[in-house]
């Protein structure tokens, strides 16, 4: 087996492959992939990348349904030193166009039903090759791979070479591409693997999407470092998950996974008999869910906190006390402080903005040096935009957000993006988009709109207008028409007042 080369993340994984590479890597609906398959197929996929002219540092935009092949494509990009850019499958062409124009990829890999519109939309970009991953006859990425000799080389990357760009929206203006380096990803993965006590024989249940940090990096990387089997589900289907749980030892999920399990009569202590660890993150886990889960199963869910720009930042301890409502301690190697608006550290117990530094913190926003500079303090700390407090033991609790952000079922929705499109509707004077408590999604996107002469616009009309422009999960689940929005003396819309007013909507 090739020795771990340079700082390439794939090289790190490969150095941890099981001795017997016939061990299963992915168990999925259509069969199994072994670690030997991973090695050969990622080599074949890397050969396709090269045949498309993708060289080290070139961007590859990928918008495909979750599948084992999509995982292999990610791993092939790593080994080839290409920059992987995964996109949420819910994004519309309008949203994808922005990312493509910004990232200037060498290759786009998409699903068959998007290929025609992508070809039409991006024909001017003559340097871009567009391929489907599968399902497009002999022209697909997978079919090309079958015809090529595997390329087993691993690009000799430095720790600060970019491995992936993940787009995150912002409270103002355009989406920003967070550049994550091989060093960011490997340092975070190694820390998590150790901190969460992975042991030989652990089996991971994977039901998260693989276009975000949680499913793509946190879950897959820990399993790969552990040479573990991954029981791979294309989505979170509660019945299927309950059938799978007795055969795994670790599950990672967003809080919605846990609330859905709790609502299912078949789910009980016996279902979890082989589980070592349940982990939750991406959105706040309510104390009532934590407690109900412990009462039902005997398991204290381990809550951790992170963000796209920094991977995982804090975690409740594996061996120590896991406390509901707390996200635990800064991970080893991560420095955290609670600061006022000017970056001055606050005393323990006071609420401020969480600022962090460490090897996990990203290299900046793709081609946006000014935006990057705005998010960092002069001493290198990154401003998370999350409001938090730290107790004298340095345990951290997230208490709110300084940024105007809604998290629905673990997906981030930036109100500004939704408001600006609603405001283009005929008869709309202005709008405020808020997140209000929702039993399934944690928060639900909700719009409060002021119209000309009180014209009545219903939820369907707003959703229809937004269709094609905005992914479904960003669209308001409910719309309210009002005569005016509450404002403070400075004229700023008081979203807190609206959130209180509509708190019982769902
Ligand atoms: C689906 N729908 C949603 C959401 N998901 N609406 C609001 N919020 C959502 N999250 C809508 C669809 O548009 C559709 O609407 C309907 O629900 C059914 O869609 P379906 O895909 O069948 O939904 P589902 O399978 O029940 O999905 C719900 C889910 C999923 C399982 C909670 O959203 C999910 O897997 N979320 C995880 C997101 C995640 O991985 N986040 C990590 C980000 P209609 O029928 O009207 O068309 S990484 C991160 O945040 C940081 C780094 C961290 O700390 O981890
Ligand atoms: P993203 O931009 O998708 O990376 O989302 C990151 C944001 O999700 C963070 O800035 C937090 O606001 C939120 N988040 C992630 N994990 C947690 C958690 N355990 N508790 C509260 N908020 C969380």
């Amino acid at each position: 087996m090739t020795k771990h080369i340079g700082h390439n993340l794939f090289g790190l994984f490969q150095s941890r492959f099981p001795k017997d590479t016939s061990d299963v890597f992915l168990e999925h609906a259509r069969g199994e992939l072994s670690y030997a398959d991973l090695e050969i197929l990622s080599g074949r996929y890397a050969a396709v990348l090269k045949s498309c002219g993708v060289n080290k540092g070139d961007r590859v935009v990928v918008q495909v349904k979750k599948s084992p092949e999509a995982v292999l494509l990610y791993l092939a990009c790593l080994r080839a030193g290409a920059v992987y850019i995964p996109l949420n499958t819910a994004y519309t062409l309008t949203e994808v166009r922005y990312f493509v124009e910004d990232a200037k990829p060498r290759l786009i890999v998409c699903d068959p039903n998007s290929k025609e519109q992508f070809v039409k939309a991006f024909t001017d970009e003559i340097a871009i090759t567009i391929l489907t991953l599968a399902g497009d006859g002999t022209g697909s990425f997978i079919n090309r791979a079958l015809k090529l000799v595997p390329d087993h080389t691993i690009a000799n990357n430095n720790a600060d070479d970019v491995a992936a760009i993940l787009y995150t929206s912002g409270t103002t203006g355009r989406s920003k591409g967070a550049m994550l380096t091989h060093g960011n990803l490997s340092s975070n993965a190694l820390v998590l693997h150790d901190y969460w006590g992975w042991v030989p024989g652990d089996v991971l249940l994977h039901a998260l999407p693989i276009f975000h940090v949680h499913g793509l990096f946190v879950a897959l990387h820990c399993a790969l470092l552990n040479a573990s089997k991954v029981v791979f589900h294309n989505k979170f289907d509660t019945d299927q998950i309950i059938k799978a749980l007795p055969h795994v030892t670790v599950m990672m999920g967003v809080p919605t996974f846990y609330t859905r399990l709790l609502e299912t009569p078949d789910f009980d202590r016996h279902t979890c008999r082989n589980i070592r660890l349940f982990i939750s993150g991406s959105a706040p886990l309510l104390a009532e869910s934590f407690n109900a889960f412990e009462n039902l199963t005997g398991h204290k869910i381990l809550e951790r906190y992170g963000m796209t720009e920094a991977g995982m930042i804090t975690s409740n301890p594996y061996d120590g006390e896991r406390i509901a409502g707390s996200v635990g301690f800064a991970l080893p190697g991560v420095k955290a402080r609670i600061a006022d608006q000017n970056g001055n550290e606050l005393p323990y117990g006071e609420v401020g903005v969480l600022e962090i530094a460490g090897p996990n913190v990203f290299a900046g926003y793709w081609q946006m040096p000014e935006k990057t500079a705005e998010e960092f303090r002069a001493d290198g700390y990154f401003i998370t935009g999350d409001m938090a407090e730290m107790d004298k033991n340095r345990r951290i609790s997230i208490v709110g957000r300084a940024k105007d952000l809604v998290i629905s079922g673990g997906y981030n929705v930036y109100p500004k993006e939704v408001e600006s499109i609603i405001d283009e509707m005929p008869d709309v004077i202005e709008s405020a988009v808020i997140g209000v408590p929702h039993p399934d999604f944690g928060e639900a996107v909700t719009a409060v709109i002021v119209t000309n002469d009180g014209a009545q616009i219903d939820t369907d009309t707003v959703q229809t207008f937004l269709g094609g422009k905005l992914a479904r999960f960003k669209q308001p689940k409910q719309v309210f028409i009002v005569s005016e929005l509450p404002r403070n003396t400075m004229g700023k819309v008081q979203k807190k007042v609206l959130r209180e007013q509509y708190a019982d909507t769902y």
Side-chain angles (χ1 to χ4, degrees):
M1 189 169 300
T2 327
K3 221 171 125 281
H4 176 201
I5 298 170
H7 289 88
N8 187 299
L9 179 61
F10 185 88
L12 173 63
F13 296 147
Q14 199 194 50
S15 71
R16 303 280 196 109
F17 281 1
K19 278 203 189 70
D20 180 356
T21 54
S22 67
D23 284 1
V24 176
F25 164 50
L26 288 186
E27 181 183 289
H28 57 93
R30 288 175 279 125
E32 289 178 350
L33 275 181
S34 67
Y35 275 88
D37 296 330
L38 185 177
E39 172 60 28
I40 292 167
L41 292 172
S42 65
R44 285 191 194 280
Y45 283 30
V48 180
L49 292 173
K50 285 187 191 157
S51 74
C52 294
V54 174
N55 294 313
K56 200 171 150 192
D58 285 342
R59 275 84 53 214
V60 177
V61 164
V62 178
Q63 190 192 35
V64 295
K65 288 205 186 78
K66 187 177 176 185
S67 70
E69 291 76 16
V71 174
L72 293 170
L73 177 58
Y74 164 57
L75 295 172
C77 285
L78 286 180
R79 79 180 299 163
V83 177
Y84 189 73
I85 308 183
L87 297 182
N88 192 324
T89 44
Y91 289 156
T92 62
L93 179 63
T94 314
E95 289 163 306
V96 173
R97 189 193 303 273
Y98 169 80
F99 300 123
V100 169
E101 284 169 2
D102 189 59
K104 300 197 173 37
R106 183 73 195 78
L107 171 69
I108 300 177
V109 184
C110 62
D111 284 326
N113 56 3
S114 341
K115 184 165 175 195
E116 201 183 316
Q117 53 171 359
F118 280 14
V119 169
K120 261 195 216 137
F122 307 124
T123 40
D124 291 344
E125 326 281 328
I126 43 164
I128 302 182
T129 303
I130 302 175
L131 287 180
T132 63
L133 183 57
D136 193 25
T138 50
S140 74
F141 194 98
I142 289 176
N143 275 305
R144 288 185 182 209
L146 294 175
K147 292 187 200 111
L148 293 179
V149 176
D151 180 344
H152 287 294
T153 50
I154 297 178
N156 191 4
N157 285 99
N158 293 319
D160 54 7
D161 285 342
V162 178
I165 296 178
L166 269 71
Y167 277 90
T168 82
S169 296
T171 41
T172 53
R174 303 186 299 143
S175 272
K176 298 166 287 186
M179 297 187 286
L180 292 151
T181 65
H182 285 264
N184 292 146
L185 299 179
S186 54
S187 65
N188 209 227
L190 288 164
V191 163
L192 295 176
H193 178 260
D194 186 49
Y195 202 76
W196 292 339
W198 283 75
V199 287
D202 265 337
V203 178
L204 174 76
L205 179 54
H206 193 301
L208 287 157
I210 52 170
F211 41 70
H212 281 311
V213 165
H214 198 163
L216 184 65
F217 300 152
V218 184
L220 283 177
H221 292 180
C222 281
L224 281 159
L225 286 183
N226 203 55
S228 272
K229 174 160 98 176
V230 178
V231 175
F232 194 75
H233 285 239
N234 288 350
K235 61 179 296 195
F236 188 86
D237 173 319
T238 315
D239 293 339
Q240 296 301 322
I241 295 303
I242 287 177
K243 281 191 197 136
L245 275 169
H247 309 287
V248 304
T249 64
V250 180
M251 186 181 97
M252 298 187 193
V254 294
T256 300
F257 285 18
Y258 293 102
T259 47
R260 287 189 184 179
L261 285 172
L262 282 168
E263 279 164 11
T264 311
D266 294 351
F267 178 70
D268 58 19
R269 198 173 278 256
H270 191 62
T271 323
C272 310
R273 60 192 176 276
N274 291 318
I275 297 284
R276 180 177 69 77
L277 185 59
F278 283 109
I279 301 174
S280 175
S282 308
L285 179 72
L286 295 180
E288 65 190 64
S289 309
F290 177 95
N291 293 329
F293 203 85
E294 188 184 5
N295 289 338
L296 185 69
T297 68
H299 282 275
K300 282 181 191 275
I301 300 171
L302 183 152
E303 184 174 10
R304 72 5 171 229
Y305 152 84
M307 62 189 295
T308 301
E309 287 89 338
M312 296 302 97
I313 300 165
T314 75
S315 173
N316 271 280
Y318 180 63
D319 288 321
E321 207 180 350
R322 299 177 199 165
I323 298 180
S326 157
V327 293
F329 304 95
L331 285 163
V334 177
K335 291 188 276 185
R337 68 184 179 205
I338 309 296
D340 67 13
Q341 285 183 338
N342 302 316
N344 301 311
E345 188 157 5
L346 292 170
Y348 293 135
E350 281 192 29
V351 172
V353 177
L354 179 63
E355 300 186 350
I356 56 159
N360 55 324
V361 178
F362 72 135
Y365 296 111
W366 167 252
Q367 295 188 330
M368 289 187 176
E370 297 85 12
K371 289 263 176 235
T372 305
E374 280 170 21
E375 313 272 336
F376 282 87
R377 297 287 177 201
D379 62 0
Y381 274 70
F382 172 66
I383 307 162
T384 64
D386 287 307
M387 304 299 292
E389 63 184 320
M390 188 189 272
D391 71 14
K392 61 180 181 341
N393 300 317
R394 303 192 67 78
R395 178 182 275 279
I396 295 168
S397 300
I398 306 293
V399 299
R401 293 174 204 138
K403 49 195 172 191
D404 191 11
L405 162 69
V406 179
I407 304 184
S408 167
Y411 287 145
N412 287 7
V413 181
Y414 282 87
K416 174 93 185 153
E417 187 185 9
V418 187
E419 287 159 2
S420 61
I421 304 182
I422 293 178
D423 292 351
E424 289 168 11
M425 288 181 72
D427 275 338
V428 168
I429 297 173
E430 61 173 347
S431 61
V433 166
I434 50 171
V436 300
H438 187 278
D440 188 33
F441 293 127
E443 290 179 337
V445 177
T446 305
V448 186
I449 303 178
V450 181
T451 55
N452 274 323
D453 300 325
Q456 289 303 307
I457 302 176
D458 62 18
T459 306
D460 282 348
T461 312
V462 173
Q463 289 181 345
T464 306
F465 186 83
L466 297 179
K469 300 186 177 84
L470 267 189
R472 286 286 286 173
F473 71 87
K474 296 181 189 172
Q475 298 176 14
K477 304 260 182 236
Q478 283 275 353
V479 165
F480 296 95
I481 307 298
V482 295
S483 54
E484 60 180 346
L485 295 173
R487 290 182 189 277
N488 65 15
T489 47
M490 310 290 288
K492 195 168 177 284
V493 175
Q494 291 175 298
K495 291 203 167 174
K496 193 166 174 279
V497 173
L498 290 174
R499 281 194 289 268
E500 281 162 10
Q501 197 176 336
Y502 295 101
D504 296 328
T505 304
Y506 302 95

